[in-house]
Amino acid sequence: MSSIKSALKAAKAALDSQNYDEAVTQANQVLASDPRNYHANVFLGLALDKQGNFEEAIKAYDAATKIKDNDALAWQGLVNLYENQTVKNVDDYRQAAVRLAEIYMKADDQFRCQSVIDKLTLFAKAHGSRLQYEQALKVILPTSTIYDFLEGRLPHPSYTFKKLAGLKEADEKERINKLIGERRTRLGAKIDRVTAEVKREVFSESELENIYQSIIDWSDEDEVRREYEEKLLVRAYESLVVSPLEKKKEKRIAVEKLAHGLVVLKHPFALAWKIALEWKDDDSLQAWDRGVLNEYIQLFPTDGLGKVLRGYISSEISPFPPSPVGNEQAGSEKDTADEDTTISTEDRLILMTDGIGESPSSALAHRLMAEYYLYLEEHESAVESSRKARKLLKTEAQLSGLKFENNNDAVDITLATALIQYQAPKNHPEAKSLFDAVLKRKPTFTSALIGVGLILEEQEDFAGAIDFLSRALERDPQNARVRSESAWCKALSGKLEIALEELEACLHDMSGSDPRSKDLKAQTLYRVGMCLWNLDPSKASRKDRKGAYARFLAALQANLNYSPAYTALGIYYADYAKDRKRARKCFQKAFELSPSEIEAAERLARAFANQGDWDLVEVVAQRAVESGKVRPPPGSRKKGLSWPFAALGVVHMNKQDYAKSVISFQSALRISPEDYHSWVGLGESYHNSGRYIAATKAFQQAEKLEEDVERTKAGETWFAKYMLANVKRELGDYDEAVEDYQAVLDLRSREFGVSVALLQTLVETAWRNVELGFFGKAAESARRAIQSARVIAEDTPAAFNLWKAVGDACSIWSWVQSHMVSFSRRDIKQLLETGIDTQEYDLLVEVDGVGRDILASLGPSTDSMDPSVAADCLHAAILAQKRAIYTSASDIHAQAVAWYNLGWTEQRAHSCLVQESNKSNKPSKYLKAAMRCFKRAIELESGNAEFWNALGIATTQLNPKVAQHSFVRSLHLNERSARVWTNLGTLYLLEDDYQLANDALTRAQSTDPDYAQAWVGQGSLALMLGDPKEAQLLFTHAFEIADSASFLIKRQYALSTFDHLLDSPAAATSINSMIQPIFALHQLHSQCPSALPYHHLAALYLERIGDYATAISRLTTICTTVEAEYEVSEAPSSLARFAKAKADLARSQLAVRDYASAAESAETSLDLSSDEESSGLEPQPRRKCRLSAQMTAGLARYFLNDMDQALGMFRSALEESNGSPDVVCLLAQVLWAKGGEQERDVAKEQLFDCIENNPGHVNATELLGVIAILDGDTGTVDAVADDLRTLASDDTLHDEQQRRIGKLLVAISTLSAQDESPRLETTTEVATSILLSPWQPHVWSELANLTEDTYPAEMALKTAAHAIPPGGSLDAEDLAKAFAGTKHAGDAQRSIMTAPWVREGWEGLETALK
């Protein structure tokens, strides 16, 4: 024990001498002996503290405190250590300091205790965090264990709580911002939701509300208490807003208590007052405390809600009586009350409007504003304010958890009542649903009952309206408005006498002088007048000025702006007083006051329409539509009104805005599907906008309604038929259009527009038939057009369209000259002489020679093909176009078009009557007239591209520079015209500028690939450049895409195809390649029977396809015509044409075995062409003509058994043909056929010589092979076989030649084979043919005949399927044989279907069935 004490003393001495190492040593010695020695631990802790070994020092002090917890020495050392640490440990320091203070408290040492606490708060503030400082401040709060001991020495609790509140506020704000920043970046996060969640989380852990309450409880200053009561309310409200729904009730009670306290204290904190006012739930403002409202107005005179409350309370609809002004009332309150009672309606509205703008989130302000707007009958503003109030109530309900049922009902009633009048009846369904929702909760709610009654009245459900209004009267029997409405419903339901009695009773009770009372009185007087008006509908009663008329005037005296009374007076003046001026004024006033006066609007619209003032019609109709009265609400019994939409449709049609007119008529038909005139208007709109299919359907629908319209308004349905005919005309259904026009004319025979439309349609039908190739129909349509024009001319001879159509109809015959017999010159003459001095036809007579003399020379029609008829029809067309110029003198545009039409007619006359026979470049009189006409048209309308194009065509040959300028000018006006580009290219072709021609024609093709003339131009260019094959392809394409009207295309196509047939032997044997040219030439003959060269060409085509009879007929006609022409003119060209026709006729006669005629014709041709100079033929054509005639004559004489003359002809042919191999072959056949040995030898010699001179001539080689086989000349046969095999490998041979070579080789191999293997030899030869031409069906068929294998037959069928057109030229017979070769029943049936006349198909079917 003594050693411990000595060691403690040594340690104490070492500490005093600052020998801390020694002190540590001594203290450890003691602790080694006695670990629970209190002083040794204290000395050790102090020494270690001085050495800076804080961790060990803390352990030593902790050990000491555990030994003696109530001794201050160790705690003091620990406190001092924490104060001296470099890294401050505020939490441990606070715990040590509090424990030390408690020890001093027990020791009753206030000074030391206070010192420790003061140091603690200063230390925490200086070195601790915000939270650590808060913990330190809590030590000096009343909740602390030492507060009572040091009370009076510590700061006042309110002061400490305020400090603590400030720290908490800053801490929570920082935490909220931090959490929002972290969470807002999450996927799908929304800032509002994140903010609410973060605040909810922070507020749930916060002590701030308790701190605010503690400040309020401990503070002695009212200002401080009010300040923190405000903060507490704000914090409670914010917590309520973010609280979940299940916890809102508890929090809301607290918020309401806080707000009520501030209101009771009349503290001017806006949130408290607004909670007190906004959260009150009642359907009438009367439930609010008038004193509270007045206090709010006084405390917040500039607040938006205050302004609205001030205006509403001072208004006529305020539920509160005027404020009593007594002695007890304060001076300021008295002044405010006096000011409110004297405020004007205008100032009140301005005040409330300002207030509503300053309080956009106040549901109460919007509710009151809506009620006041409703009182002022500003229904649109009332609807807008009510809707905003509903949204704000919904928002407030979500925030507070209150349902606000009564407030919502009140707002809904206001909204529904406003909707009854606003855009009625559009909004009636919504209004009724609102009323029904209120009545479901409150069945006796008067305003809702009245509202439903008014809606049912508008929907013409008068029984239901009376029921609801009667129930409302039970609740409020003195309500004059409800009584009046109930009586009016009875009147509308037909109970006029009862209604009149009740309305007059209502009038006795209406004595008010305010505007609303006057309005109700005016309405009631009007309704009394209407009852009187309808009780006695006689004319005398309605004209009585003491009856209904007097009531209408009285209504206007009560309210000068009551619009229905003006409408009623307008009807009185219009229908009974016959004062249109007053009637229109009344209607205008009524409609000006209210767009809902639909009757007045309709009468105004009709009046303006009759005057043609479509702008005013549009204004009236549009305003009627916008009134909302024209469309009934869903479920209403009231019928809609379609006339405003129909009127708008007519207006838009007059403005040519057809898209809008379609929409308007569709809207009209949705309301009135049976409206005939709307269907007609819709169809006309579709027609004018180019939607012809839709127009057809619309007019067809209108036709279904014709019977109903005819019963009411007879004679008004023709227009639909007329428009339907117009649509069919636009669609190209000309026949049906003509029938419909005729049906309309049967109803209205003198309707000019329909007659002209029929005439124009007939002309268009004629042109369409010309394009389609129906030339007989075209002539018949033109004839009917002339007949129709005669009828029109009797009534309206001065119509421009009439004479234009007549001119076009006469021109039709120039395109279908084979039907000239239907042209009646007598009818045309009578028509042209109708209603005019014939001197007017002398226009340009000095140029074209067509005037009144020509008109007078028109004779009677003839049934024969008189050549003068062609000229007469064109002269008549020219005269008709001149008549069109005469009738269009007052219209510059029509006159320009008339000159243009005349120019084209003159140009047509030049083309048909002069151009073909005029070989010189001198202009004809018609061409000169055409140029003058086109120039005159350009003078009148220089911006027309077609006029310039026409001038270019007329001047192409006469003045190329002018023509080029005209075409370029036309393209400048319209560069997208393929026709003009083609004309320009043609001009360049004529001037031999091929590059420019190609550029222009290419541009035409790219502009319109379907314009056939451009392709013809390219074909002509290809011919000039020496590429006939390309030209033939281009002409063929042009013919395929062209119509049947063009002469040029058919001519060029037929010529190029014939040239191609001459150059292509394969094509020359294909009938398919000649069908279209023959058809083209047939059409050409119908259009122009005088075009003899092309009729001659047609005969050549007919000869090639084997139609010899028709060819003979054509050629005979040509010979007769040319002979007659030669007798008149004795022209060498006619003689040459006759010689060629005779040569060609001879061949056809030879083909039909008319040998004598053939010999005669051929010899005639030879005689005519014997003299080279006088024959009129060029050397090469002459040689071909004579060669043909000589060969034909030789064959004819041969078949007539006149062998000597035949041989003479052949020898002459050989001489003139310079040993032509074809002539040699023909001569050899004739010599062989004669049968003499000598002749046969001569034939063989001729063939040998021919083959020697022409080694590749197939016909000569084949013929020599056949002769050798027949003579049994094996040497010659072998030589021929070798030559044929060589020729078979020649790719230039066509399929028919290959086929003949193959057959001959097979025959040679069969005849020359040994007896034991003829089949093998033949098979080998056929196989060789297959190797050379595997695509040929006949070689496979031959192999199939030689073998029993089915494969060759199948291959024959496959190759035949690929060889038919358009892949090849295989005909139906060969295809049928290929089918039959397979020996299958199905293929045999296909063979029979393909070519029933082929025997092999039937035999194959028989074999297959057996």
Side-chain angles (χ1 to χ4, degrees), residues 554-715:
L556 291 178
Q557 291 172 357
N559 182 3
L560 199 59
N561 293 325
Y562 189 64
S563 58
Y566 284 107
T567 301
L569 285 174
I571 295 173
Y572 170 82
Y573 287 127
D575 296 346
Y576 298 97
K578 304 301 179 182
D579 190 341
R580 292 185 179 181
K581 187 175 181 181
R582 284 189 177 182
R584 175 172 291 193
K585 287 183 178 180
C586 290
F587 290 137
Q588 287 178 336
K589 183 66 174 179
F591 194 61
E592 179 183 341
L593 291 171
S594 174
S596 298
E597 291 302 311
I598 303 300
E599 177 69 20
E602 183 176 4
R603 291 184 178 245
L604 279 177
R606 291 186 183 278
F608 292 141
N610 292 333
Q611 295 175 357
D613 196 342
W614 298 108
D615 291 336
L616 289 178
V617 173
E618 182 179 15
V619 170
V620 172
Q622 188 62 45
R623 195 162 177 228
V625 170
E626 293 172 354
S627 71
K629 293 288 187 180
V630 297
R631 281 196 178 113
S636 173
R637 299 180 182 178
K638 192 173 184 180
K639 293 183 179 180
L641 300 173
S642 61
W643 72 261
F645 294 104
L648 286 174
V650 175
V651 169
H652 293 314
M653 283 179 60
N654 279 277
K655 293 182 177 181
Q656 297 184 355
D657 192 350
Y658 301 116
K660 290 184 178 179
S661 68
V662 166
I663 295 173
S664 297
F665 283 122
Q666 286 176 339
S667 300
L669 289 169
R670 290 190 188 100
I671 297 173
S672 301
E674 305 299 319
D675 185 358
Y676 169 81
H677 295 94
S678 293
W679 281 111
V680 173
L682 179 63
E684 189 172 358
S685 300
Y686 278 136
H687 169 265
N688 293 334
S689 59
R691 299 167 65 180
Y692 301 121
I693 301 300
T696 301
K697 294 180 179 178
F699 287 127
Q700 288 174 346
Q701 185 63 33
E703 284 186 330
K704 296 178 182 178
L705 305 174
E706 286 181 357
E707 294 183 3
D708 296 336
V709 177
E710 282 293 333
R711 282 197 294 266
T712 57
K713 299 179 180 180

Side-chain angles (χ1 to χ4, degrees), residues 262-270 272-273 291-303 306 332-333 336:
L262 290 173
V263 170
V264 169
L265 294 174
K266 299 182 181 179
H267 179 63
F269 184 54
W273 289 87
V292 173
L293 297 177
N294 287 338
E295 289 167 359
Y296 182 82
I297 295 170
Q298 293 170 9
L299 290 173
F300 307 99
T302 60
D303 180 72
S332 60
E333 295 179 358
T336 301

Side-chain angles (χ1 to χ4, degrees), residues 85-97:
Q85 267 185 320
T86 304
V87 179
K88 308 300 182 181
N89 194 339
V90 179
D91 292 331
D92 292 340
Y93 177 77
R94 177 176 53 79
Q95 294 177 2

Side-chain angles (χ1 to χ4, degrees), residues 176-208:
I176 288 172
N177 291 336
K178 180 181 178 181
L179 291 175
I180 291 174
E182 291 174 352
R183 298 180 184 180
R184 67 183 298 179
T185 58
R186 294 176 180 175
L187 189 65
K190 295 183 179 179
I191 186 64
D192 296 339
R193 187 179 300 172
V194 170
T195 302
E197 291 176 354
V198 169
K199 286 186 176 182
R200 188 184 307 122
E201 179 181 334
V202 173
F203 290 170
S204 64
E205 301 171 358
S206 175
E207 300 177 354
L208 198 54

Side-chain angles (χ1 to χ4, degrees), residues 1109-1121:
T1110 307
I1112 291 172
S1113 175
R1114 291 281 182 92
L1115 290 169
T1116 302
T1117 303
I1118 292 172
C1119 290
T1120 303
T1121 305

Side-chain angles (χ1 to χ4, degrees), residues 90 866-867 947 1084 1212 1231:
V90 179
D866 188 348
F947 295 176
L1084 189 61
S1212 299
L1231 291 172

